[in-house]
Structure formats: C-alpha cells, structure tokens
Amino acid sequence: MQQQQSSSNNADGSLHAQWSGRFIFILAAVGSAVGLGNIWKFPYVSGENGGGAFILLYLLAIFLVGIPVLVAEVLLGRRAQRSPINAMRHYVTTHKLWPLWQVIGWFGVVAGFLILSFYGVIAGWALAYFFRALSGAFVALDAESTGKLFGAFIADPEKVLLWHTLFMALTVLIVARGVKTGLEQAVRIMMPLLYLILIALLVVAVQSGHFMDGVRFLFAFDWQAVTAQSVLAALGLAFFSLSLGMGAMMMYGSYLNKTAPLVQSSVIIAVADLSVSILAGLVLFPLVFAYGLNPGAGPSLVFITLPVAFGQMPWGELVGALFFLLLSFAALTSAISLLEPLVAFLSENRHLPRLSASIWSGVLIWLFGLLTVFSFNLLATVTWLGRTIFDWIDFLTSNIMLPLGGLLIAIFVAYVLPKKISQEELSTAPFIFAIFWFLLRFVAPVGVFLVFAYGLWDALVPKAAA
Ligand code: TRP
C-alpha cells in the first residue's frame, strides 16, 4: 500500500541534487541571467532611451524590483528543494492554500518552453555568424551588403534549421548530463571564457580610438529622452535580464544548500549581470562609431552593423569570431536554465530517466521552434496585428507571461506564505529583512503590475502604428 503512495524519486518528493557550492550556484545563475538580453538588447534599448538617464532607471529597476523578486524566487526554490511545479504543489498542500497558486509553476514551465523555442533560433544565428566571421565572410563589406547577407541567411529555412538544431542539441546534451556533470561543468567552462572574451573585446574597443564616443553615447544624461515608456522599458528589461518570472531562478535555488546567504548571493548575481550589460555596450558602441556606422536598433545592430566593423578592422576575423562566440556562450548558459525546470519536473514525477526527459523536451521545443524559423521565410506573411508568429511568441512570453509570473511570485511570498518562512530562509539582519519585505510587499508588485499592464496595452496597439 505504502509503495503506491510515493510517485516521486524520493519518498518525500524532494530533489536531492545539489550544487557543489554556493559559488557554483552564483556562476550558474549569472549564466542564466547573462544572455541575448545583455549583449543584444541592453545596448540598443539604453541608447534609444537616453543613455545615462536610462541606465539610472535600469539601476533602480534592478535594485528596487529585480533583486527582491530574485530573492523571492530563490527562496521558494531552496525551501522546497523541488522543481517549480512540484515546489508550488508542495506549498499548496503543506500550508493548505488555494490550489490555483500552482499556476506559478505551470506558467513558468510553459513560458520556458516558449522562450527557448525562439531563443534557440536566435542563438543559432549567433553560432552561424561565429563561423562566418572566422571564415572572413565580412571582409570589406558595407552595411548594405551585410544586410543582404543577413537577409539571405534568415530567408533560407534549411540553413537556419541546421544551426538551430545544433544549438538545441548542445542544450539538450548539457541538461541531460544532470546538475553536477552537465550544468556545473558547462558554466565552469563557459562563464570564465565569457568574461575573458568580454575583456579582450573591451581592449579592442578602447584601442578603436572612439571609446569615449561610445561612453558618451551610453552615459550621456539626457533627461528629456526619459518617458513613462522608458521607465517601463527599464523594468521589463531588468526582469528579462535577471531571468525572473518563470521559475528558472527557483529551479536553480532548489539545488542550493540551506546555509547559503540569499540576499548577498542575489545582489552578487544582479551586479554581475548588470556589469556584463554595461561592458557589452562599451564594446559595441565604440566599434560602431569607429567605423562611422549607425548605432541603430534591434537584431540589425549585432547581425548587420557590427559585421561591417569586423570586416574593416585589423584582425577582424578573430575579433568578430570572438564576439559571436561570446554571444553563443551567453545564450547557451541561459538556454539550459530555460530547459531545466521542465526536465527536472519530468524526471522527478514521471520516473522518466533524465536522458529521455531531456531528449523529449528538446525535440518538442525544437519542433515548436520551427514556427520561429519559418516566421522569417515561409510564414513571414502570416501576421496578426502587424506581428509575425515569432513576434507573438516573444511578445506573449516577455511582455505578458514573465511579468505576470513575477507579480504572482511577489504576491505569493509577500502576502500568502507565512512571513516566518521568508525570515527563516533569509536569516539576515532584521533591518535588511525589513528593506526586503517592504520592497517585495509594496514596490515590486506595483512596478511589475505596471510592466504587465503596459504589455497588455501594447498588444492592443498594432505594431505598424508605432
Ligand atoms: N536572462 C536571459 C537573457 O538576458 C534570458 C533568460 C534565460 C530568461 N532564462 C530566462 C528570461 C528565464 C526570462 C526567464 O538573455
């Protein structure tokens, strides 16, 4: 009789895998946080929103909203020692709460599935561009030719598919090997390389002769460029960049031992993430200005504008290859955090071996990713309210699901769970706890709600009108 009752790996349903130490947890969390959001999105969004003034808003968003929600997520995961879905189920049953709170876990796994489906495609572009840069494909091209090159690339589903498949295979390979031999090894190798490459590129940027132009562009205080919209952009970006709202940080927190200090670790993670964003901006813009290019926006900055600079500078093949390697590493250490909650859930509950759980999840996400691949070619004309299928998946996850997930997490920890749990988990000085509690109860929900409401509003306005 008793045997039938336990359907999970351990009798109490908890996970037993753990990080080797707190440092590895921080490294993995920084790996999750640092991704396309830092190297591709942060530079152009801050440029568009008034540079230095935006960075100030971004700092406020990170410290007042991002860090409290990050602490809340890690706390939930570490306390339960389970993947997000089972963690929420655990809280609901042990504290006799409203069963609907379990949506936090399910929502996160679905959001992770959807985000990874397009994240993998864009990361595939970065992989392809690594080899292109190395082979000297950009030598002496102008912006028109690199634009054509990129246009022809994403218009070719077979080529994009190849790189997308390769990237997803790498992600599955790492996750399938488990926490210690998979995730840990991957971040141990890739994160130091990522920082090394960033510093090497910074040296190139400093020597470009236009470093100060980049600094001015990024840090120029232009209060007039700050609008309600840039406040929301700062909040939204802080959220995406810290990997909040879908349980990735909850998952990583569940592998953390009970003694690690949560507030201090979260601050380190946030500062490391922030520093990569700023360094990426300090690498990108001097190069853009050194070659008389337009600081432009969006995917075109990294895949069209930068290659022109790489094609003209001395050692450009190497510098360009390093840049796209940086982008690929950053994306890979984020992708594994998007896949892990689903795989951990499947292998916890269904007795599915980790290998099969990883392969099956990977294959399904890969299949769903075809919608993104085809959004740039075969299905490019399939649009609704001016958005392609890819635009909709991106929009639905980043603007709706993540803020909503973050809002629910903040409310759940600050208002639903007994306060004692947070106090026990944080075990920090009373005045630090008071600050955390105030931010999580009053500041974070309001901030996240604004992002969410703005996201919804934005959905109703067709893109073409913007
Ligand atoms: N933070 C990553 C980036 O900046 C993306 C990411 C990874 C993410 N995992 C996440 C975003 C979980 C939201 C939720 O690119």
Side-chain angles (χ1 to χ4, degrees), residues 446-466:
V446 174
V448 183
F449 176 77
L450 287 177
V451 177
F452 174 64
Y454 173 74
L456 267 185
W457 151 255
D458 196 44
L460 303 173
V461 185
K463 242 192 169 177

Side-chain angles (χ1 to χ4, degrees), residues 32-38 115 119 239-244 246 248 334 337-338 402:
S32 167
V34 170
L36 300 173
N38 306 61
I115 295 177
Y119 209 83
F239 232 69
F240 185 83
S241 190
L242 285 177
S243 303
L244 297 177
M246 64 136 283
S334 297
S337 77
L338 288 161
L402 294 182

Side-chain angles (χ1 to χ4, degrees), residues 349-363:
N349 253 24
R350 308 258 174 262
H351 284 301
L352 213 56
R354 197 174 235 276
L355 181 65
S356 338
S358 314
I359 293 176
W360 277 110
S361 322
V363 167

Side-chain angles (χ1 to χ4, degrees), residues 64-66 68-69 235 239 406-407 410 436 438-450:
L64 299 183
V65 180
V69 178
L235 269 168
F239 232 69
L407 184 64
F436 161 76
F438 173 78
L439 292 176
L440 193 68
R441 258 176 108 80
F442 303 111
V443 181
V446 174
V448 183
F449 176 77
L450 287 177

Side-chain angles (χ1 to χ4, degrees), residues 112-148:
F113 183 101
L114 295 174
I115 295 177
L116 187 52
S117 83
F118 71 79
Y119 209 83
V121 175
I122 301 189
W125 297 353
L127 268 185
Y129 265 58
F130 164 71
F131 289 99
R132 287 190 167 193
L134 206 58
S135 70
F138 312 130
V139 172
L141 296 186
D142 58 12
E144 204 190 319
S145 335
T146 56
K148 279 199 189 128

